[in-house]
C-alpha cells in the first residue's frame, strides 16, 4: 500500500511538472534585420508571371465552407487557359498575391507550401477530413489535457500541432522561401490587444525582430483561424530592439501627422507598427493573435492598402505609377452566410449567444461591402486623372497650336473586381441552401463537393471575369481542340 501511494504521488508530481512545463513553441529571434532576406514579395521569383496582368486573390473566413469554396475557385483558375504574351498559360499561374483569413487560409497555405500538389492532396488531407471531430479527440486525450492545464498553452496550440502533423507535414516558412516563387501568400490573423491585422510576412515579423522562416505554416494557419470562444489566441514572442531594425522614414512622419489629421489612415498604420517596437512601460513582450476575421473577414484589407499606398511592403500603387500593371484583377472569394433565424418572429429578447454572434458578424459583413466599394472607387479615381488630362489636352488643341499642352499622361489601368459570393446564386432555393451551411471544420462530402462546384460556377458567371476572358481570348483546358 505504501509503495502504491508513493507511486501515485510520483505520477501526480510528474503530471503537474509536465503541465507547468508545457508552453507555446517560441517563434525564433532574428539575428540581424536584412530588408533583402526572408519572405517578401520582391524576393520571390517572377518566372513567366507578368506584372502587366496583376492578379490578387482574397479568401474569406467561414471554416470548411470557406476552404472548399476557395479551393473550387482555385480549380477553376487552374483549368482556365489564357493567351498572354504569345503563350497559353493557366490563369492560376498568373496569380501574384493571395491574401487569406481563417478557413480560407488552409488552401492558401497549402498552395504556398506545395504548389500544384494541392489539387491531388488537399481534398483528402483536409476538405474531406473530419477535422472538428479529430480536434475534439485531441483535446480530450489525457496527455493533452495535462498540456492544456498550462496557462501558456491553449487549444489553438494543440490545433497547430495537429495541423502540422496531419495536414502540412511539418512545413515551415523556410520551405516556402525555398520554393521562392509567386504567388506571395499572406495569411492574416488579428492582434488581439490592438484589434489590427497581423500578417505572416517577414515585414511584419521584422517589427518583432523575429525570423518568420522558423515558423511552421500550421501555426500561422492556426492563428488565422483561431475563432474566438471555440479556439484560443496564439502567443508569439516579441524580441523588438534586438536586431537593429529601422522603421521606414514614412512611419515617423506619419506618426507626427496625428494632430494635423492630414492622412489618418497612414497615421493609424504607423501607430500599429510603432506599438510593436515600443520600449519601456509600453513594451509588449508577447503578441496574442486571434482569428483574422476579427479585423477583416475578407482578407482584402492588405491588398487594398497595397493598391492605395506607396508606403507598403508590396505596393501595387507604386507598380501602377511605374506603369508596370495594365490589368489589375482582384478576385474576392466571400463565403459569408446568412442563416435563417426565427429571431424576428417573436417578441422575446435574443439570448446571449445570439447577440454575441450577431455583434461579431453583421458589422464585419457591412465593413466587407464597404471595402469592396472602396477598392473600385480607388482605381476609378486613379484613372480619372488620366481622363482629366486627356480632356484638357483635347480642349486646348481646339484653340490652336499655340494653346497645345504638353502634360505627361498618367498610366491607365483596367480593373476587374471579380466577386464570388453566395449572394450571386440566381436560384433562390439554391442560394438559401448555401447561405445556411454552418461555420464548421467538418462538412459532409456532398456539401464540400457542392461548394467546390459552386465556386467554379460563380467564377464563370461573374460579369467582370467574363469581360477579362474576352480580353484575354479565353481558352478552356476542357476544350483544347477549339483553342
Amino acid at each position: 500500500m505504501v509503495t502504491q501511494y508513493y507511486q501515485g504521488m510520483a505520477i501526480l508530481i510528474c503530471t503537474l511538472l509536465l503541465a507547468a512545463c508545457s508552453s507555446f513553441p517560441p517563434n525564433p529571434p532574428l539575428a540581424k534585420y536584412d530588408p533583402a532576406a526572408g519572405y517578401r514579395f520582391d524576393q520571390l521569383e517572377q518566372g513567366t508571371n507578368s506584372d502587366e496582368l496583376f492578379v490578387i486573390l482574397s479568401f474569406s473566413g467561414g471554416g470548411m465552407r470557406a476552404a472548399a469554396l476557395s479551393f473550387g475557385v482555385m480549380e477553376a483558375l487552374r483549368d482556365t487557359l489564357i493567351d498572354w504574351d504569345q503563350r497559353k498559360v493557366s490563369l492560376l499561374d498568373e496569380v501574384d498575391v493571395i491574401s487569406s483569413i481563417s478557413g480560407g487560409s488552409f488552401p492558401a497555405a497549402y498552395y504556398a507550401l506545395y504548389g500544384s500538389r494541392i489539387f491531388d492532396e488537399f481534398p483528402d488531407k483536409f476538405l474531406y477530413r473530419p477535422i472538428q471531430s479529430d480536434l475534439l479527440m485531441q483535446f480530450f486525450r489525457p496527455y493533452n489535457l495535462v498540456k492544456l492545464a498550462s496557462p501558456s498553452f491553449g487549444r489553438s496550440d494543440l490545433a497547430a500541432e495537429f495541423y502540422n502533423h496531419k495536414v502540412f507535414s511539418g512545413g515551415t516558412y523556410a520551405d516556402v522561401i525555398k520554393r521562392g516563387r509567386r504567388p506571395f501568400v499572406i495569411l492574416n490573423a488579428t492582434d488581439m490587444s490592438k484589434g489590427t491585422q497581423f500578417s505572416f510576412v517577414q515585414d511584419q515579423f521584422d517589427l518583432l525582430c523575429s525570423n518568420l522562416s522558423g515558423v511552421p505554416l500550421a501555426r500561422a494557419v492556426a492563428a488565422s483561424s483561431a475563432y474566438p470562444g471555440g479556439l484560443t489566441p496564439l502567443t508569439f514572442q516579441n524580441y523588438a530592439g534586438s536586431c537593429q531594425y529601422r522603421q521606414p522614414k514614412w512611419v515617423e512622419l506619419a506618426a507626427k501627422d496625428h494632430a494635423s489629421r492630414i492622412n489618418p489612415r497612414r497615421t493609424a498604420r504607423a501607430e500599429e507598427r510603432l506599438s510593436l517596437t515600443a520600449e519601456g512601460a509600453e513594451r509588449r513582450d508577447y503578441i496574442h493573435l486571434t482569428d483574422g476575421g476579427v479585423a477583416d473577414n475578407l482578407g482584402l484589407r492588405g491588398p487594398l492598402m497595397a493598391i492605395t499606398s506607396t508606403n507598403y511592403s508590396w505596393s501595387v500603387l507604386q507598380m501602377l505609377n511605374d506603369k508596370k500593371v495594365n490589368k489589375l484583377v482582384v478576385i474576392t472569394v466571400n463565403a459569408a452566410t446568412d442563416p435563417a433565424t426565427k429571431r424576428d418572429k417573436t417578441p422575446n429578447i435574443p439570448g446571449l449567444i445570439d447577440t454575441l454572434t450577431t455583434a461579431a458578424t453583421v458589422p464585419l459583413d457591412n465593413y466587407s461591402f464597404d471595402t469592396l466599394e472602396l477598392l473600385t472607387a480607388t482605381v476609378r479615381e486613379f484613372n480619372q486623372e488620366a481622363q482629366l488630362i486627356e480632356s484638357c489636352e483635347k480642349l486646348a488643341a481646339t484653340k490652336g497650336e499655340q494653346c497645345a499642352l504638353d502634360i505627361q499622361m498618367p498610366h491607365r489601368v483596367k480593373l476587374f473586381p471579380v466577386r464570388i459570393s453566395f449572394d450571386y446564386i440566381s436560384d433562390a432555393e439554391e442560394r438559401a441552401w448555401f447561405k445556411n451551411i454552418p461555420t464548421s471544420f467538418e462538412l459532409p462530402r456532398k456539401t464540400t463537393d457542392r461548394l467546390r462546384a459552386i465556386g467554379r460556377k460563380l467564377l464563370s458567371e461573374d460579369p467582370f471575369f467574363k469581360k477579362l476572358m474576352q480580353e484575354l481570348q479565353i481558352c478552356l483546358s476542357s476544350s483544347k481542340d477549339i483553342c
Side-chain angles (χ1 to χ4, degrees), residues 177-481:
I177 294 170
K178 188 176 180 180
R179 287 192 76 234
R181 46 199 250 200
R182 295 187 191 180
F184 184 48
V185 177
I186 309 167
L187 310 182
N188 299 290
T190 300
D191 182 335
M192 186 176 178
S193 297
K194 297 294 181 179
T196 54
Q197 192 170 74
F198 185 101
S199 302
F200 282 80
V201 296
Q202 189 54 52
D203 180 67
Q204 181 87 65
F205 273 69
D206 285 339
L207 301 170
L208 310 182
C209 280
S210 180
N211 189 350
L212 179 62
S213 65
V215 175
L217 265 292
R219 192 158 179 80
V221 170
S224 180
S225 59
Y227 190 79
L231 291 165
T232 54
L234 274 85
T235 303
F236 288 78
Q237 193 160 349
N238 189 357
Y239 309 97
S242 64
C243 64
Q244 302 174 41
Y245 175 71
R246 301 181 303 278
Q247 289 275 15
K249 291 182 179 179
W250 71 266
V251 173
E252 183 179 353
L253 295 173
K256 290 180 179 179
D257 283 344
H258 187 87
S260 67
R261 304 176 186 177
I262 294 175
N263 191 333
R265 285 185 179 174
R266 186 179 69 166
T267 298
R269 285 194 291 116
E271 291 178 345
E272 287 174 21
R273 297 177 68 93
L274 291 170
S275 76
L276 295 170
T277 59
E279 296 292 340
E282 296 182 352
R283 179 179 175 82
R284 303 172 64 192
D285 295 315
Y286 300 95
I287 310 300
H288 302 282
L289 303 181
T290 190
D291 193 291
V294 174
D296 169 22
N297 201 37
L298 279 182
L300 195 56
R301 181 177 177 181
L304 182 61
M305 289 292 184
I307 293 169
T308 58
S309 173
T310 57
N311 299 321
Y312 208 70
S313 60
W314 55 281
S315 174
V316 176
L317 180 58
Q318 187 61 57
M319 298 176 71
L320 295 176
N321 291 336
D322 293 339
K323 301 182 179 181
K324 292 182 178 180
V325 178
N326 294 332
K327 290 180 172 62
L328 177 59
V329 183
V330 182
I331 302 176
T332 305
V333 183
N334 184 4
T337 56
D338 185 18
T341 175
K342 297 180 180 179
R343 183 190 309 126
D344 298 331
K345 298 289 186 181
T346 172
N348 296 343
I349 297 173
L352 178 61
I353 294 177
D354 186 16
T355 302
L356 291 175
T357 302
T358 302
T361 57
V362 172
L364 271 175
D365 289 340
N366 293 335
Y367 172 77
S368 298
F369 175 80
D370 291 339
T371 300
L372 288 168
E373 293 304 305
L374 183 58
L375 168 66
T376 304
T378 298
V379 176
R380 185 187 302 122
E381 182 179 344
F382 184 90
N383 285 331
Q384 281 175 346
E385 295 181 14
Q387 294 170 357
L388 179 62
I389 293 175
E390 184 178 358
S391 298
C392 288
E393 287 184 334
K394 287 181 179 179
L395 180 62
T398 63
K399 304 300 181 181
E401 293 183 4
Q402 71 277 12
C403 296
L405 300 176
D406 184 18
I407 306 175
Q408 184 177 359
M409 180 69 68
H411 181 56
R412 285 193 184 185
V413 60
K414 289 187 177 180
L415 171 66
F416 300 87
V418 180
R419 305 182 184 185
I420 309 302
S421 170
F422 300 139
D423 290 329
Y424 302 123
I425 298 175
S426 56
D427 182 80
E429 185 176 343
E430 184 183 26
R431 182 170 62 249
W433 187 87
F434 278 102
K435 297 191 81 169
N436 278 277
I437 296 176
T439 299
S440 167
F441 274 111
E442 187 172 333
L443 293 174
R445 189 184 186 101
K446 288 185 178 180
T447 299
T448 300
D449 286 339
R450 286 190 67 176
L451 284 162
R452 292 169 64 180
I454 200 65
R456 298 171 65 94
K457 185 172 186 288
L458 288 171
L459 179 67
S460 67
E461 294 176 346
D462 181 86
F464 282 100
F465 189 75
K466 287 182 178 180
K467 184 179 178 181
L468 175 66
M469 293 301 97
Q470 290 172 356
E471 294 202 15
L472 297 179
Q473 299 177 24
I474 180 62
C475 169
L476 295 178
S477 62
S478 58
S479 306
K480 290 182 179 180
D481 55 321

